[in-house]
Amino acid sequence: MNFPNQISIWITFQISIIFLIGIPFTLFLWSIKKRNKVVNKLLSIYWKISILFFISLLLLVGEYNYGLLVTNISTLLMTISVWFWHDINDELKEYDFSCSIITTTKVWRWSLTFISLNFLIQSLKNISCFSLINSPACEIWLQPSSNLYRVIKSLFNFLFGANFSQPIAKFLGLFSLLVYVLGLIQWSIIKFPKNGRNSCFSESGRN
């Protein structure tokens, strides 16, 4: 893998972390402070979906071959989750430009969409890494998770006095992925047919 491609992947990861975690976390705290229920509801759903992203990081820490594929699926699901709900979309349209938290949320939604597409395009340039993350050409994709591994290992040792290894990370990631998929299937079979694209957001809480 050439150096420009390595730099491009590194930048893609850094920007993605900001828009996938940093900004939505800030918006979530802002929505709580402002008691804005529509943004709070949107971000609450977003965080439930984003669990898959954190699972994918565990899989990358464990060097699971399909870890990058799961990461891309998670970013696409996270993007879909912020556009999917009719009632939330209709409510957001009711606010004018002067409402800073709503305007910021709208800008973030579009930014998240472009970031996710860019992440996918960057990944497709190294499509072999979707099924063979352990190959030398895919090493750059494991570097961000390697940093996470060192942090988790230190915390795990401090809290439990035990060693956190890559096989443990892989096991936890796969187990969490199984639970996540079962939960998604349950929602698809039970809740989606009943509510459709209605998030059950209450307009009585608008601020």
Side-chain angles (χ1 to χ4, degrees):
M1 185 178 294
N2 56 48
F3 183 72
N5 193 29
Q6 291 180 340
I7 292 295
S8 179
I9 291 173
W10 185 86
I11 293 174
T12 297
F13 251 112
Q14 303 309 311
I15 294 177
S16 297
I17 291 298
I18 293 173
F19 283 89
L20 294 175
I21 300 176
I23 294 178
F25 182 71
T26 303
L27 280 172
F28 187 63
L29 295 180
W30 192 3
S31 70
I32 294 174
K33 181 180 179 180
K34 292 291 186 179
R35 298 180 181 178
N36 189 294
K37 286 193 173 183
V38 64
V39 176
N40 186 271
K41 180 67 175 181
L42 178 66
L43 269 298
S44 295
I45 295 171
Y46 173 83
W47 285 120
K48 291 177 182 178
I49 298 298
S50 69
I51 291 173
L52 184 59
F53 178 76
F54 296 101
I55 291 173
S56 74
L57 293 181
L58 271 179
L59 293 175
L60 287 174
V61 167
E63 297 186 356
Y64 178 61
N65 273 332
Y66 297 97
L68 185 60
L69 176 62
V70 177
T71 303
N72 277 275
I73 292 173
S74 71
T75 57
L76 290 175
L77 287 178
M78 291 158 76
T79 302
I80 292 171
S81 73
V82 299
W83 293 100
F84 186 75
W85 312 101
H86 281 316
D87 54 344
I88 291 179
N89 291 335
D90 291 340
E91 181 69 10
L92 289 175
K93 291 177 183 178
E94 295 298 319
Y95 290 83
D96 56 35
F97 189 76
S98 62
C99 183
S100 55
I101 187 172
I102 298 296
T103 301
T104 304
T105 300
K106 291 178 179 179
V107 171
W108 167 70
R109 289 203 306 179
W110 280 107
S111 301
L112 176 66
T113 302
F114 289 119
I115 292 297
S116 297
L117 289 175
N118 178 65
F119 191 91
L120 176 61
I121 292 171
Q122 190 68 59
S123 300
L124 289 175
K125 291 180 181 179
N126 310 111
I127 195 168
S128 62
C129 299
F130 275 36
S131 58
L132 199 61
I133 196 68
N134 291 299
S135 65
C138 304
E139 184 179 356
I140 186 65
W141 287 105
L142 293 174
Q143 285 187 5
S145 60
S146 298
N147 298 330
L148 176 65
Y149 171 60
R150 286 192 288 269
V151 173
I152 295 177
K153 185 177 182 180
S154 299
L155 287 174
F156 201 80
N157 184 55
F158 175 76
L159 294 174
F160 304 105
N163 185 39
F164 182 82
S165 62
Q166 289 180 321
I168 291 177
K170 183 178 179 179
F171 170 78
L172 291 176
L174 289 173
F175 179 77
S176 301
L177 180 62
L178 174 62
V179 174
Y180 186 94
V181 170
L182 290 176
L184 190 61
I185 292 174
Q186 180 188 37
W187 175 82
S188 301
I189 295 175
I190 299 175
K191 291 189 176 181
F192 181 64
K194 179 181 178 181
N195 298 324
R197 294 179 63 183
N198 181 10
S199 71
C200 300
F201 163 73
S202 175
E203 293 188 0
S204 62
R206 181 182 177 188
N207 287 302

